[in-house]
Every structure is written in structure tokens, then in C-alpha cells.
Amino acid sequence: MLSEIMYPEIEPYESGHIAVGDGHSLYYELCGNPDGKPVVYVHGGPGGGVMPELRRYFDPDKYKII
């Protein structure tokens, strides 16, 4: 079962939008350890969205999940 190998659910400690020009923006979330090793997760493409389950792929004690 996939949920058995994933880390527990966590909530972002920061989120927001970054302007990238022409009226567009990128949504971001910061989760896990603020002093941890940064890891960037990029989902599959425009309109794909961010699902809370995606935060569970990385050890939140070890990584600053972006």
C-alpha cells in the first residue's frame, strides 16, 4: 500500500504566489524543516495543481520541501 511508504501528513508553514510576467504567477508552498536540505517538487504541468499528498514523499525532518 502506497500510504505505508509515505511520510505523515503535514501543512505548509508558508505559501504564496511569485509573479513571472505577463500577468502569470507560480504558486509555491514551503513545508518540512526550514533549516533542512532544500528539495523542489515540480508537478506535471500547467493546471496540474498541488495536492496535499505530494508533501508526503519527502522526510519533513530532513528536507525543506518547496
Side-chain angles (χ1 to χ4, degrees), residues 29-40:
E29 294 181 347
L30 299 177
C31 305
N33 181 349
D35 297 318
K37 185 173 186 175
V39 60
V40 177

Side-chain angles (χ1 to χ4, degrees), residues 15-32:
S15 65
H17 289 85
I18 299 171
V20 294
D22 293 328
H24 299 281
S25 66
L26 294 175
Y27 174 75
Y28 73 91
E29 294 181 347
L30 299 177
C31 305

Side-chain angles (χ1 to χ4, degrees), residues 1-61:
M1 177 181 259
L2 183 60
S3 64
E4 292 176 9
I5 61 170
M6 296 175 81
Y7 292 94
E9 293 181 16
I10 57 173
E11 293 296 321
Y13 57 81
E14 184 180 327
S15 65
H17 289 85
I18 299 171
V20 294
D22 293 328
H24 299 281
S25 66
L26 294 175
Y27 174 75
Y28 73 91
E29 294 181 347
L30 299 177
C31 305
N33 181 349
D35 297 318
K37 185 173 186 175
V39 60
V40 177
Y41 182 91
V42 180
H43 67 75
V50 176
M51 297 178 295
E53 294 81 19
L54 299 175
R55 301 176 195 139
R56 299 179 61 203
Y57 284 109
F58 305 95
D59 182 344
D61 293 327

